[in-house]
Amino acid sequence: MSDPRCAAVEALLSQAGELASGERVERFEQLQGGWSRHSHIAHIAGGSEGRRYIVRVRPPGALLDTDLGLEFRVFAALEGADVAAPRVYGLEPLADSPFDGPFFVMEFLPGVAPNMYGRDDQAMLAADWDGARAIATDMVTTLAAIHGLDAAALPDDLPRLSFGDIVARWRSVYEERRLVRDPVIEQGFAWLEEQTPLDSREGLVHGDFRIGNTLIDKGRLTAVLDWELAYAGDVRFDLGYLALERSAGKHLRRRTPFMGTFADQAWFLERYGELTGSPVTEEELRPFQMLSIMMLLATQITAVWMYANGRTTDFRMVWARYSFPGLRDDMVRLMQW
Amino acid sequence: MWNPLTPAEVVAAMGGPTQVAARSRVELSEWERGQLFSVYSATRHLAAEIGAVEPHAAGVAAELAASLRAAPDSIAGLREIAGRLEGTADPRVIAQLSCEALDILQADGSPPAQAARAALRAVLRRAVELEVGALADAIEGPA
């Protein structure tokens, strides 16, 4: 019996003019990882050797309630911009699909997403920093380009979120889904209320900008992936998130001296300031670091809540409880207790 | 220390993936192998949690209680919370009572309340550092 997923993907690719006569989707290969999205490689037969696409699916019971259609439109808006990202070819918005959820088809680009927790990839990124700094330069150049994108080119339904909106969003997750009250998290929210920035630097925020959400091929960045958390707001969020020790591979203890595992922080911020014309200090990133921690905690709280409420049997959701100690450690230092 | 799910609940959750693996008569899928790796990782964390973190819970509760008893009598409710802290070694109860005390101190807002809040936070910070240090020593090796 034929796989109905093949016909569904072929239909989108045909509409986009991507399939030549005689070409068809032969098989799928599910990629590892993915808490809120599942990704499959679609292998094409009947044409040039080794043609592939990526199918990105929002599965039922996804960890984060994010809009796959909006993510598709963000990818589409990036075409022609100076941001390395895969092209997208078609969206199936219906949940009742052969993939058990809405999905879109996008370009397969060469490269591997570095594992920021892995010693080998940490060493590879440190070697880049000590040598050509090509990856570090690509990362800062790309982030500056993202933040400088013309707002008129972005999707009309891209949410506009203020600092306070985001605090409220993650606080509501904590209030609704926590299994225990946590004094450090609650004090963290109180601290955030006192630290709300007086100004805002508006632009496109990726929302999950880290080395693990990029593809690196032959020592260069080939794509920025995972735009499901993108919004319009204060772009310093991406910098604060990147400045977290967690973004540098910390689970319990700091693992590398580098921002995001790939660059010296002072260098990165200086270069970012030069590229954007808007210097940023480490001090002003502190509220955004805390906000980033709240986002991470909200996902971990949701993970444990989903398991405890019988919505998943995925053991990774139980393991998520071991993310809390390292993040609390970051919080007490940010708050200077 | 006061993480969601108890150690007993974590142990119970380990049963699912291990049973699937034990019953499998074919090679495990990448997904199933990933589940087992997560269980393996959790066993290492759990051993450190039970052996090197939870034994300190009663001491943390006593320290928190002492910091609350050092606050002025004029701040209502703290003595009662201190008494309840002295009777527990359950990390989740400790967390709940700490939140209640911090709520009182934040609402009061007086300089003595702020000082008591700082003292309470200092104890909480030490508890956080104790937990992350014990887990890190076991999982990632000594600093």
Side-chain angles (χ1 to χ4, degrees):
Chain A
M1 200 170 116
S2 64
D3 184 342
R5 299 178 302 172
C6 294
V9 171
E10 284 167 7
L12 290 181
L13 288 172
S14 295
Q15 286 167 23
E18 278 292 302
L19 282 189
S21 175
E23 284 191 322
R24 60 188 171 76
V25 177
E26 183 183 42
R27 63 187 171 87
F28 293 97
E29 179 185 346
Q30 184 166 1
L31 298 171
Q32 282 189 8
W35 290 45
S36 295
R37 300 280 188 264
H38 290 170
S39 294
H40 307 257
I41 301 175
H43 293 268
I44 307 298
S48 308
E49 191 82 5
R51 289 221 316 126
R52 291 166 286 183
Y53 292 88
I54 295 291
V55 181
R56 191 157 164 82
V57 183
R58 183 186 190 282
L63 188 59
L64 291 172
D65 186 18
T66 52
D67 182 349
L68 188 91
L70 176 61
E71 186 181 12
F72 173 82
R73 290 185 288 282
V74 170
F75 269 115
L78 294 171
E79 286 183 26
D82 197 17
V83 176
R87 296 184 66 190
V88 289
Y89 298 110
L91 167 73
E92 170 49 73
L94 298 177
D96 184 19
S97 83
F99 288 95
D100 289 331
F103 69 91
F104 63 80
V105 184
M106 64 185 189
E107 184 180 13
F108 180 97
L109 288 172
V112 174
N115 174 6
M116 62 193 188
Y117 299 108
R119 296 280 190 196
D120 290 348
D121 283 350
Q122 288 171 1
M124 178 271 289
L125 293 162
D128 174 78
W129 173 255
D130 290 337
R133 299 188 180 177
I135 295 172
T137 301
D138 285 346
M139 287 294 282
V140 69
T141 305
T142 299
L143 190 59
I146 291 169
H147 293 169
L149 282 173
D150 180 5
L154 301 176
D156 292 339
D157 58 344
L158 187 71
R160 164 77 189 90
L161 299 174
S162 69
F163 189 90
D165 291 336
I166 305 168
V167 173
R169 176 182 183 183
W170 301 129
R171 180 154 204 154
S172 73
V173 171
Y174 170 76
E175 296 292 349
E176 291 166 17
R177 297 185 169 177
R178 63 176 162 76
L179 301 184
V180 291
R181 285 189 74 181
D182 189 315
V184 179
I185 296 175
E186 293 189 9
Q187 290 296 291
F189 279 118
W191 184 88
L192 272 174
E193 285 174 13
E194 297 164 3
Q195 302 286 329
T196 301
L198 298 174
D199 62 334
S200 183
R201 298 190 188 179
E202 296 293 298
L204 174 63
V205 180
H206 179 279
D208 195 7
F209 190 81
R210 56 187 170 86
I211 197 74
N213 280 337
T214 68
L215 293 179
I216 304 293
D217 186 52
K218 299 184 180 73
R220 300 304 300 265
L221 185 149
T222 56
V224 178
L225 307 172
D226 295 339
W227 291 81
E228 66 181 276
L229 291 167
Y231 63 94
D234 194 323
V235 297
R236 288 174 293 185
F237 178 88
D238 283 334
L239 292 164
Y241 185 63
L242 206 48
L244 289 183
E245 291 188 357
R246 175 141 169 150
S247 296
K250 173 186 172 180
H251 168 47
L252 296 161
R253 281 203 185 106
R254 189 180 181 109
R255 299 288 287 273
T256 87
F258 299 118
M259 183 187 201
T261 64
F262 58 81
D264 173 77
Q265 183 160 308
W267 175 90
F268 189 93
L269 294 181
E270 185 179 346
R271 191 80 190 97
Y272 177 87
E274 290 167 2
L275 290 165
T276 60
S278 301
V280 180
T281 65
E282 292 187 4
E283 184 62 25
E284 71 185 280
L285 294 185
R286 287 159 55 84
F288 297 95
Q289 289 177 273
M290 183 66 88
L291 195 55
S292 302
I293 291 171
M294 293 308 184
M295 179 184 80
L296 292 167
L297 282 168
T299 60
Q300 306 305 301
I301 287 167
T302 299
V304 179
W305 175 86
M306 285 176 67
Y307 187 91
N309 286 279
R311 297 188 179 216
T312 179
T313 57
D314 183 348
F315 187 81
R316 294 176 304 168
M317 306 294 173
V318 175
W319 191 96
R321 76 191 288 274
Y322 291 114
S323 296
F324 287 72
L327 292 171
R328 278 194 210 100
D329 183 49
D330 293 341
M331 293 170 78
V332 298
R333 281 188 288 111
L334 270 174
M335 293 187 284
Q336 298 176 315
W337 281 10
Chain B
M1 186 175 280
W2 41 82
N3 301 312
L5 300 178
T6 64
E9 289 169 327
V10 176
V11 172
M14 290 172 176
T18 50
Q19 185 188 43
V20 167
R23 285 183 169 169
S24 176
R25 303 212 175 266
V26 297
E27 188 175 345
L28 297 179
S29 68
E30 281 301 306
W31 166 265
E32 289 163 340
R33 283 164 51 83
Q35 291 286 295
L36 285 184
F37 274 121
S38 293
V39 170
Y40 162 70
S41 174
T43 61
R44 299 179 70 213
H45 285 80
L46 191 57
E49 181 180 359
I50 294 170
V53 179
E54 295 236 323
H56 294 282
V60 169
E63 269 196 81
L64 290 165
S67 79
L68 293 180
R69 290 199 184 281
D73 288 342
S74 57
I75 306 175
L78 296 185
R79 293 280 185 278
E80 190 261 336
I81 293 174
R84 289 159 65 197
L85 278 165
E86 285 157 350
T88 189
D90 182 336
R92 283 146 287 276
V93 175
I94 294 168
Q96 170 70 31
L97 294 173
S98 298
C99 288
E100 290 175 19
L102 287 163
D103 287 345
I104 290 170
L105 294 168
Q106 194 151 338
D108 184 299
S110 65
Q114 287 177 24
R117 194 178 171 200
L120 201 63
R121 285 171 167 175
V123 180
L124 292 169
R125 187 197 71 228
R126 288 196 291 278
V128 166
E129 290 172 349
L130 183 154
E131 179 178 35
V132 82
L135 290 174
D137 285 348
I139 307 298
E140 298 172 352

